[in-house]
Amino acid sequence: MNRESLLAVATLVVVIGAVTTLALAGAVSDPADSETAADVEPTGHVSLTEITISADEVTGGTATLAVDTHLAHRGDPAENVTVVHRATDTKTGLVENTTKRAVQTMDDDAEVVVSDRLSIPRESSYEIETFVYRDGTRTESASRSVDGVDALTPAYADTDVEFHRFGGSAGGSLADVPAIGYSIASTTDDTATLEVDSYLTNTGDDTESDLELEVSARQSGSNVVADTATVDLSAIEPGKTALPTVELEVPQEYDYYLDAVLWRDGTIVGTNRAVANLGPGSLSVDETASDGGLEVSDFEGGSDRRADDGAAGDDSEDSGASSADGTPGFGVGVAVAALLATLALARRYQ
């Protein structure tokens, strides 16, 4: 065989080998399989950039927190994103609540705010954990601490109306006026009628209404309530001060706490206290007086009220400080005991 024939045969063998290799490669590696393998890894990227927590709805036993999660996106559209919040009591380590929120498909390289509400007991302190999941796999997490949940004001007790005390200025140009004041409107031999004024200022931006003021006169030494009066308040405009007045009739010659209670829909929303000194003492709001001279009958009314001259009823049967004839002594019981002791002593010496 000549050289030309050998070269032709060799060339044919190489071509057949190349074609065979390409055919085998096509059978082993399908382009569709390559695309499927690439889809295993999710496209696009989602990152957790910020978390903000604020108080939403507060009741007597529960505080609901508004949790906003800021997610940033870049690259291809991102699907199957989920945000989970978990509240753990830092004192007990117990999980109090968990929420889960699905996120719509993210695209356009935009930032998305995912809002959720998380309810927890209105007590203790909490760690609020946030987790971001992609296709069921956790990709990012963050946590925030929340303290003082018990200090949040329930909605039923929320009002901007406050008892307003006007403090004196450094130069003395403004008087020091307490939030509660009183004057004596009239008196009788036994009682005094007090006119009690309360300064109530709306410190908020909205008109306040449906408020009720209750004022009580409480005898300082016994805590006996001598009289109570209630007045409905008209609407108080923002920045305005209301001056409701009630009348209280109390026995004279005693010192009183004037307790003012602000009510809304059957719930106490504010309190304040002043004093009315009608007796010999000088009671102040910061002290508790002990009045041993209290006559309960003064606070019961009727014919048992104590007379002006201070005369008491006939207590001779109950008194052991004087004898039946009115002379000082130890009483009949002590006299009998002394007589028996004398007889026993006489028999001993016989």
Side-chain angles (χ1 to χ4, degrees), residues 45-257:
H45 182 73
V46 177
S47 60
L48 177 60
T49 60
E50 185 181 3
I51 300 173
T52 60
I53 302 175
S54 60
D56 187 5
E57 182 180 354
V58 182
T59 65
T62 303
T64 300
L65 305 179
V67 185
D68 291 334
T69 305
H70 298 250
L71 301 177
H73 167 264
R74 68 174 183 271
D76 296 332
E79 299 178 346
N80 300 325
V81 178
T82 305
V83 176
V84 174
H85 300 297
R86 183 171 66 193
T88 303
D89 191 317
T90 58
K91 296 181 180 179
T92 64
L94 299 177
V95 175
E96 293 293 345
N97 198 1
T98 301
T99 65
K100 183 178 181 180
R101 176 79 64 180
V103 184
Q104 295 181 350
T105 300
M106 300 180 62
D107 52 17
D108 298 332
D109 293 338
E111 182 172 285
V112 175
V113 179
V114 182
S115 298
D116 209 345
R117 300 170 77 246
L118 189 64
S119 296
I120 54 178
R122 195 171 69 90
E123 58 185 20
S124 189
S125 58
Y126 298 88
E127 181 182 8
I128 309 299
E129 298 173 282
T130 300
F131 307 103
V132 179
Y133 287 86
R134 181 83 181 276
D135 292 327
T137 301
R138 184 190 301 181
T139 58
E140 294 197 39
S141 63
S143 66
R144 298 287 186 275
S145 295
V146 177
D147 298 322
V149 178
D150 56 344
L152 296 175
T153 303
Y156 62 76
D158 188 17
T159 179
D160 291 317
V161 175
E162 301 177 358
F163 287 93
H164 193 164
R165 182 184 183 94
F166 301 87
S169 63
S173 59
L174 293 177
D176 187 13
V177 180
I180 302 173
Y182 77 96
S183 61
I184 299 177
S186 62
T187 60
T188 65
D189 291 342
D190 300 323
T191 64
T193 300
L194 308 180
E195 284 191 354
V196 183
D197 301 324
S198 301
Y199 294 95
L200 295 166
T201 299
N202 183 357
T203 61
D205 298 325
D206 301 318
T207 300
E208 294 275 359
S209 58
D210 301 326
L211 293 170
E212 183 182 70
L213 180 67
E214 177 188 64
V215 182
S216 301
R218 188 182 304 274
Q219 199 275 332
S220 61
S222 65
N223 272 334
V224 173
V225 175
D227 197 10
T228 299
T230 303
V231 59
D232 292 328
L233 303 182
S234 57
I236 307 176
E237 299 294 330
K240 299 297 183 179
T241 299
L243 186 63
T245 301
V246 299
E247 287 191 353
L248 301 177
E249 184 176 313
V250 298
Q252 295 205 60
E253 300 181 1
Y254 293 98
D255 297 329
Y256 299 93
Y257 291 115

Side-chain angles (χ1 to χ4, degrees), residues 6 24 56 60 71 89 159 213 251 258 316 339 349-350:
L6 290 174
L24 291 175
D56 187 5
L71 301 177
D89 191 317
T159 179
L213 180 67
L258 301 178
S316 58
L339 178 60
Y349 286 99
Q350 286 178 353

